[in-house]
Amino acid sequence: RAHLPGAGSFQCSVTGLGFEVSSAVTISYNYGSWDDHLGASAQEECVIAGPLFSIRAQPGAVRAVHLPHFVCLAADADVRECRIAHFKAGSMTLEQPTKLAAFYAVLENPSFSLLGVVWRRLRSTLISLPMHSLVLIFQQLRAANTTLHLYLIPDDNSVKQAIEKQEMTWTSKLIPKPSPLNPLFFGCTYQVSSTSHVEITPEPHLPFRYKSPKEQQLFIEIYIRNMAEEIWLLMTDLRNDTLVWKVSLSGTVLTRGHLATCGTVTQTWCPLGAAFMKKHKEQLCYRMGRISPILLHLQHANIINSDEEDEVLKQNTRKKKNKSLLQLVERKGCKAQEELYRILRDKDPFLISDLEKPG
């Protein structure tokens, strides 16, 4: 439950849910369960593409709601099939979003009940939509030697938080590692392997699919007898034997330390975009990483065009490229700065978290 103090755009740091409001308003919201509302026949027609939310607010006060999704628009997803599923009085209607951005769908002048992003399915196969994904690794602190749980899930905060809560009860700590840079596909199976001898149970294969936060999520257990040397974990697409993910683990990371507070989240509501860019512009010039994926997302979101992308890329140092991009987005106005902020939060969360730390 959040009281937004006045007109503006705001985003919840826990759920990714955003609102544009015309005046002060109090909004109540919680995650819903797709399984409770989207029947088997409906799931034959639609692919779940984001969390389901139950939202309550004073009528007329919210100009637009920003609903997070995990479909990768940069990988040629058919944006024409995006819909907002709206459940009311036991029935579902599919609404066309007002706008579709890289990580959220916008619905203007919404009426609230249960809302979430889906994609209409054009073919019976699930292997059709490119999805942003997360790989989560937890170390079991009370297990013998080094025991890890590895999950492969869509980039859905409701699922991620449910896993973190469960792992906390098992006395685990989160081992932060990058997720796959390229999109994965629902319905595909990915194989986990290692450059060293490790035991993977029950089998080294993980199907990539959506499971409700209420369900036990699929994971594999990795048992490492000796962490004296560096170990690499790899994930391969079984369809074409393509490497989609690779990370390094070492004994300095996998220590028997204190239980991480991975299940503890603090809700904050923040104005989007402009204030952040103004406050951290100098740091972003130095610290923004790979700029090509950012430019690609901005172009797919219709924030910049190809000529403007070339103008940024022709700068001869990374700092100059970053500065050119920030100046370009600043000239485009608040909505463009908001989009860049959202992209950075998704692509480089550790940088954004560090910049947003108090003091």
Side-chain angles (χ1 to χ4, degrees):
R1 189 168 183 268
H3 178 72
L4 305 183
S9 298
F10 300 86
Q11 184 186 46
C12 173
S13 63
V14 173
T15 63
L17 188 63
F19 296 97
E20 299 174 24
V21 300
S22 54
S23 60
V25 62
T26 297
I27 300 176
S28 300
Y29 59 100
N30 57 272
Y31 289 126
S33 171
W34 284 107
D35 286 350
D36 292 343
H37 301 280
L38 196 67
S41 60
Q43 291 192 37
E44 290 295 318
E45 300 175 4
C46 296
V47 178
I48 294 169
L52 182 65
F53 293 96
S54 176
I55 305 171
R56 297 164 296 283
Q58 179 183 345
V62 178
R63 295 197 306 264
V65 59
H66 295 204
L67 296 162
H69 71 77
F70 43 74
V71 174
C72 180
L73 302 188
D76 297 326
D78 189 348
V79 298
R80 297 170 299 177
E81 301 308 319
C82 177
R83 294 293 184 272
I84 307 297
H86 191 169
F87 298 92
K88 199 169 185 179
S91 62
M92 179 183 75
T93 58
L94 295 178
E95 301 183 26
Q96 189 89 31
T98 310
K99 174 189 174 186
L100 183 61
F103 305 106
Y104 61 93
V106 179
L107 186 63
E108 292 182 351
N109 303 313
S111 59
F112 288 126
S113 56
L114 283 159
L115 297 171
V117 181
V118 298
W119 240 258
R120 292 197 306 177
R121 194 196 304 274
L122 298 180
R123 300 184 294 274
S124 59
T125 177
L126 281 173
I127 307 173
S128 57
L129 279 174
M131 303 290 190
H132 293 295
S133 63
L134 297 175
V135 177
L136 302 179
I137 303 175
F138 293 86
Q139 182 183 1
Q140 301 280 282
L141 296 181
R142 293 179 181 170
N145 294 320
T146 300
T147 303
L148 308 176
H149 288 172
L150 186 148
Y151 298 80
L152 176 62
I153 60 171
D155 189 358
D156 181 324
N157 280 345
S158 65
V159 177
K160 179 175 181 285
Q161 289 156 19
I163 291 173
E164 290 175 339
K165 184 177 180 180
Q166 177 66 76
E167 287 286 344
M168 288 289 286
T169 67
W170 293 340
T171 317
S172 304
K173 73 171 183 177
L174 177 65
I175 308 298
K177 289 294 176 182
S179 291
L181 291 177
N182 295 321
L184 305 185
F185 292 83
F186 278 178
C188 291
T189 298
Y190 296 88
Q191 177 172 294
V192 178
S193 60
S194 175
T195 56
S196 303
H197 177 69
V198 301
E199 295 178 24
I200 300 177
T201 57
E203 60 179 23
H205 300 143
L206 274 174
F208 183 49
R209 66 187 188 190
Y210 180 88
K211 293 193 73 175
S212 167
K214 290 185 175 182
E215 297 181 82
Q216 172 62 56
Q217 301 294 318
L218 299 174
F219 67 89
I220 59 173
E221 189 166 85
I222 301 171
Y223 177 74
I224 305 171
R225 191 176 301 277
N226 181 11
M227 274 301 301
E229 60 182 32
E230 182 181 42
I231 289 177
W232 287 86
L233 294 179
L234 305 93
M235 190 178 294
T236 306
D237 188 335
L238 286 180
R239 294 176 302 166
N240 48 25
D241 201 31
T242 302
L243 184 68
V244 297
W245 177 79
K246 181 180 179 181
V247 298
S248 170
L249 301 175
S250 66
T252 58
V253 174
L254 301 178
T255 57
R256 312 192 69 77
H258 297 293
L259 180 66
T261 57
C262 58
T264 302
V265 290
T266 302
Q267 178 205 42
T268 58
W269 283 84
C270 51
L272 303 180
F276 177 86
M277 295 299 163
K278 181 178 179 180
K279 181 177 181 181
H280 300 294
K281 185 175 180 179
E282 184 176 351
Q283 284 289 317
L284 289 169
C285 283
Y286 283 98
R287 298 177 61 186
M288 273 199 304
R290 294 178 59 217
I291 201 169
S292 295
I294 297 172
L295 291 169
L296 183 61
H297 281 289
L298 287 173
Q299 192 170 354
H300 277 276
N302 296 318
I303 301 297
I304 65 173
N305 57 41
S306 57
D307 290 339
E308 291 167 329
E309 180 181 12
D310 292 342
E311 181 67 25
V312 172
L313 290 176
K314 79 177 185 181
Q315 305 301 317
N316 58 8
T317 67
R318 190 181 75 174
K319 180 186 174 185
K320 288 181 179 179
K321 288 185 173 88
N322 290 344
K323 184 177 181 180
S324 176
L325 173 60
L326 292 169
Q327 289 174 339
L328 172 62
V329 171
E330 191 174 26
R331 291 197 302 269
K332 299 274 184 174
C334 290
K335 288 189 175 180
Q337 293 174 73
E338 175 183 322
E339 185 70 20
L340 177 57
Y341 174 64
R342 288 174 183 272
I343 292 170
L344 288 173
R345 285 193 63 171
D346 182 81
K347 294 299 179 186
D348 201 347
F350 293 105
L351 171 61
I352 299 303
S353 176
D354 188 60
L355 291 176
E356 291 182 333
K357 284 192 299 190

